[in-house]
Amino acid sequence: MKTIERYVFGSFLSSFALAFLVLSFVLTIGLLVQIVGFIMDGVPMPLVGEFCAVSIPETLQWSMPLALLVSAILVFSRLSADSEIAAMRACGVNLLAVMKWPVLFGIGCTLLSFWVNNEVVPRGHEVRRTLKTRVSVKTGISLLEPGRVIDDFKDLKIYFARKEGNWLHDLVVLDYSTPGVDRMITADKALVTQRERDIDLELYHMTVDPVDAQHRTMARANRFVYTLKDAIRDSTYRRRTKDFRFAEMCATIRADEARLRALEADGHVAPAKLDLAQRELSGKKVELSKRFVFAMASICFVLVGIPLGIRSQRRESTVGMAISLAVALGYYVLVILMLSCEERAAIRPWLLIWLPVVACFALAARLVRRHL
């Protein structure tokens, strides 16, 4: 590696490391808040540790490309502002030689992102959702949020205005556990305790309407213990498309394509069933393409960021950050737009989702040619 190339690549790596650490911290703030909430609610620490371990890798698909973009623009805008790019040209140094190592590093990050997006992130999705189910079973109602209708329990809906420890205030319970009887229970406040799968509500100033199938009248009591049998249940987790890793996703897509061809060949299939099969297949293809497009963001941002940085003739880091934000926002907005159309098979969203990648390569080719 020549001295100039080593100098540029060293500056690029140091900027990338700093940007990666900052962006990773920013992107994990929401996760940290959620983890602290679990700890405050008494979730067992082993479950909290597992939740944290599987959630952090997901931030790589965002922090790595953004860090590459920020470092590319900041480093090369500084080189341009200090006239170092002009000095390199005067000495006969080609821009492509200066770009070589940052681009190779971007390609390496792209390959790493391919693996993370197709193997690590799907596994993290599955484990995290499974852990949430385990958390809800182990901690009962301690994770329930006030101010919204909660229907996570069997044959039961709960609403309460606020919560203080195990005390629920302004409680409303809709109980559908008795066939033919929809019971509504209200209480000014209730002390909640859990016994294995049962939940005991120690109700104060309560009403119940109706009492039961034989007594369809309202009853009142100053204090009453109401037991919700088998309210806490183990949820059978159903795997989603996001949980499929690369090989499994490809096999599923091939199977769905074969099933769709069989349905199309059968002239007696209802249009609604055919449309459902098309939408399911389209959603899986879009999910697979999305993983590759997110991975390609690494090399795209490097290729676009370097010439944009050279073109920016100012020293202020705020200019580089503004350019980085604009490029990243445009890239991901196009991806999100295509994700919103994932079930519209007629427009082939799994192909249209590659538009940001094509646009970045076209823009990079034009800008690099202009600065050669």
Side-chain angles (χ1 to χ4, degrees):
M1 186 186 298
K2 297 180 181 179
T3 303
I4 293 179
E5 296 175 8
R6 184 166 57 250
Y7 165 70
V8 174
F9 186 49
S11 300
F12 180 83
L13 280 182
S14 59
S15 297
F16 169 78
L18 180 60
F20 179 77
L21 291 176
V22 172
L23 289 169
S24 297
F25 174 75
V26 171
L27 292 173
T28 54
I29 287 178
L31 175 63
L32 294 176
V33 171
Q34 191 174 10
I35 290 172
V36 171
F38 283 168
I39 295 174
M40 297 296 292
D41 286 329
V43 177
M45 288 305 297
L47 287 181
V48 174
E50 289 183 61
F51 185 87
C52 180
V54 301
S55 299
I56 289 178
E58 190 172 354
T59 62
L60 289 176
Q61 64 179 329
W62 304 97
S63 59
M64 190 182 300
L66 292 175
L68 288 169
L69 177 61
V70 170
S71 57
I73 290 180
L74 292 182
V75 168
F76 281 87
S77 63
R78 180 185 62 80
L79 292 175
S80 178
D82 292 343
S83 300
E84 294 182 72
I85 294 294
M88 293 177 191
R89 287 172 176 163
C91 295
V93 178
N94 192 291
L95 176 61
L96 294 178
V98 179
M99 292 176 55
K100 179 176 65 175
W101 288 104
V103 169
L104 289 176
F105 184 76
I107 293 174
C109 291
T110 298
L111 296 176
L112 176 61
S113 296
F114 281 146
W115 178 72
V116 170
N117 293 351
N118 284 287
E119 300 296 330
V120 178
V121 173
R123 177 58 179 164
H125 282 160
E126 182 177 1
V127 173
R128 187 168 66 252
R129 292 193 183 105
T130 304
L131 284 175
K132 283 184 177 180
T133 300
R134 290 167 56 190
V135 164
S136 65
V137 172
K138 286 180 176 291
T139 62
I141 67 162
S142 61
L143 300 181
L144 300 183
E145 300 178 4
R148 68 180 185 88
V149 176
I150 300 158
D151 55 2
D152 298 329
F153 300 106
K154 182 180 180 181
D155 299 327
L156 184 68
K157 291 185 179 180
I158 296 177
Y159 174 87
F160 53 94
R162 57 191 176 92
K163 179 173 66 171
E164 296 177 356
N166 283 351
W167 286 95
L168 309 181
H169 295 267
D170 299 325
L171 175 70
V172 178
V173 178
L174 299 179
D175 183 6
Y176 307 103
S177 59
T178 303
V181 178
D182 296 340
R183 183 181 295 112
M184 183 174 75
I185 304 167
T186 63
D188 290 345
K189 62 179 181 178
L191 178 63
V192 184
T193 56
Q194 179 184 343
R195 293 180 296 107
E196 297 181 352
R197 296 180 180 274
D198 298 339
I199 289 180
D200 290 334
L201 298 175
E202 189 175 345
L203 307 171
Y204 291 85
H205 306 292
M206 60 82 67
T207 65
V208 55
D209 183 21
V211 176
D212 52 35
Q214 288 74 33
H215 306 85
R216 296 186 174 271
T217 58
M218 178 185 294
R220 301 177 183 270
N222 289 328
R223 179 181 176 277
F224 183 79
V225 178
Y226 185 77
T227 300
L228 306 174
K229 293 291 187 180
D230 199 29
I232 303 295
R233 68 189 191 282
D234 290 319
S235 300
T236 302
Y237 176 71
R238 180 183 178 186
R239 299 184 72 211
R240 305 179 184 179
T241 303
K242 289 185 177 181
D243 303 329
F244 296 158
R245 283 175 273 187
F246 180 71
E248 189 175 8
M249 179 70 80
C250 292
T252 303
I253 289 175
R254 288 194 297 268
D256 285 356
E257 287 176 337
R259 183 166 64 92
L260 180 59
R261 288 193 296 268
L263 291 175
E264 291 174 340
D266 187 353
H268 302 287
V269 176
K273 185 176 182 179
L274 183 62
D275 180 66
L276 178 61
Q278 290 174 339
R279 287 190 283 111
E280 290 179 351
L281 177 59
S282 177
K284 291 175 182 177
K285 286 184 175 181
V286 170
E287 171 63 25
L288 182 61
S289 296
K290 182 200 73 174
R291 298 177 185 179
F292 282 90
V293 171
F294 276 0
M296 289 295 295
S298 296
I299 185 60
C300 287
F301 287 174
V302 171
L303 290 174
V304 172
I306 291 176
L308 282 178
I310 295 174
R311 197 165 183 264
S312 177
Q313 296 295 325
R314 299 185 181 182
R315 290 176 179 270
E316 291 85 349
S317 59
T318 53
V319 175
M321 294 301 295
I323 296 174
S324 303
L325 180 62
V327 172
L329 184 62
Y331 189 95
Y332 289 118
V333 163
L334 285 175
V335 174
I336 293 172
L337 181 62
M338 292 302 104
L339 289 176
S340 66
C341 305
E342 63 178 356
E343 293 187 352
R344 299 182 181 180
I347 64 174
R348 299 180 182 271
W350 59 89
L351 297 179
L352 293 178
I353 201 173
W354 286 88
L355 283 177
V357 177
V358 176
C360 283
F361 274 96
L363 179 61
R366 182 177 180 181
L367 292 175
V368 171
R369 188 183 304 112
R370 181 175 298 178
H371 292 289
L372 285 177

